[in-house]
Amino acid sequence: MEYTIYAESLVYYALRNEKGYVIFDHGHYGFGFDMTKINFFSSMDKAKQFIEETKKIKGYQNLQIRKVKIIDIGEV
């Protein structure tokens, strides 16, 4: 089977530390591994801004920015 990766592939950014990914669930931020609740950022700058705003909050230290790429393979 042959796949074509189109130029409109999307890139998002997620934040992660040893507790898991930053998630947004029922109006609150937390940590977890549920991929449907990960808080995605549309740009690297927004992810860095979140890190800067939360770095003094207990539990939000050591956040790493992770690139998440969503690929449209053009298959129905």
Side-chain angles (χ1 to χ4, degrees), residues 11-15 21-24 29 34-43 46-47 66-70:
V11 175
Y12 291 104
Y13 299 91
L15 299 176
Y21 289 93
V22 173
I23 62 171
F24 190 73
Y29 288 103
D34 186 346
M35 296 300 282
T36 63
K37 296 178 182 174
I38 290 178
N39 187 46
F40 291 110
F41 297 89
S42 58
S43 72
K46 289 182 181 182
R66 311 291 289 189
K67 186 185 284 187
V68 179
K69 190 165 187 177
I70 300 170

Side-chain angles (χ1 to χ4, degrees), residues 6-18:
Y6 294 95
E8 57 268 356
S9 297
L10 302 172
V11 175
Y12 291 104
Y13 299 91
L15 299 176
R16 187 175 196 278
N17 67 11
E18 64 277 354

Side-chain angles (χ1 to χ4, degrees), residues 52-68:
E52 192 64 33
E53 292 172 356
T54 60
K55 70 181 179 183
K56 294 186 180 182
I57 299 173
K58 185 178 180 182
Y60 284 83
Q61 292 80 21
N62 303 322
L63 288 174
Q64 299 174 346
I65 298 174
R66 311 291 289 189
K67 186 185 284 187
V68 179

